[in-house]
């Protein structure tokens, strides 16, 4: 019984210690128009974390309004957002994006 309890605690501690979830304020915009990403066609949502841009999975560029709006569209301006998620295979897998400005 002690071995089982010890093993369970070890597994929980180990799994929590490996979590690399990112939660920070970052720049969010169109990857192609503003961050010069070119691995996808068209306009796609992207974030810039520590000067590195990543396309976003989990949210669409139009989820935050018209991407081509002159004042707020991601194809026209870079905005700040609190982002939560993980970088997986060179892409940011977002669980939350909340604009802060």
């Amino acid at each position: 019984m002690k071995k089982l309890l010890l093993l369970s605690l070890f597994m929980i501690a180990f799994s929590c210690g490996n979590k690399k979830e990112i939660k920070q304020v970052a720049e969010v915009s169109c990857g192609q128009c503003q961050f010069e990403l070119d691995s996808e066609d068209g306009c796609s949502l992207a974030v810039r974390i520590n000067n590195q841009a990543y396309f976003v999975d989990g949210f669409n560029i139009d989820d935050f309004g018209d991407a081509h709006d002159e004042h707020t569209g991601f194809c026209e301006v870079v905005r700040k957002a609190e982002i939560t998620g993980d970088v997986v295979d060179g892409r940011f897998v977002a669980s939350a994006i909340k604009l802060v400005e």
Side-chain angles (χ1 to χ4, degrees), residues 20 22 31-32 37-41 43-47 49 52-60 83-95:
K20 296 180 182 179
I22 296 167
Q32 292 86 342
L37 297 174
D38 59 7
S39 61
E40 290 185 9
D41 292 334
C43 294
S44 303
L45 189 63
V47 297
I49 304 166
Q52 177 66 44
Y54 303 94
F55 284 117
V56 172
D57 292 330
F59 289 84
N60 187 286
I83 61 169
T84 304
D86 300 300
V87 175
V88 178
D89 296 327
R91 297 180 67 87
F92 185 73
V93 181
S95 57

Side-chain angles (χ1 to χ4, degrees), residues 6-66:
L6 190 58
L7 181 62
S8 297
L9 289 174
F10 178 74
M11 289 176 55
I12 290 170
F14 185 70
S15 66
C16 290
N18 283 338
K19 192 155 182 121
K20 296 180 182 179
E21 184 175 72
I22 296 167
K23 184 173 184 179
Q24 70 180 57
V25 174
E27 294 178 314
V28 181
S29 198
C30 176
Q32 292 86 342
C33 297
Q34 298 295 325
F35 295 155
E36 300 179 8
L37 297 174
D38 59 7
S39 61
E40 290 185 9
D41 292 334
C43 294
S44 303
L45 189 63
V47 297
R48 188 160 40 206
I49 304 166
N50 299 327
N51 294 319
Q52 177 66 44
Y54 303 94
F55 284 117
V56 172
D57 292 330
F59 289 84
N60 187 286
I61 195 165
D62 289 317
D63 289 344
F64 302 92
D66 180 5

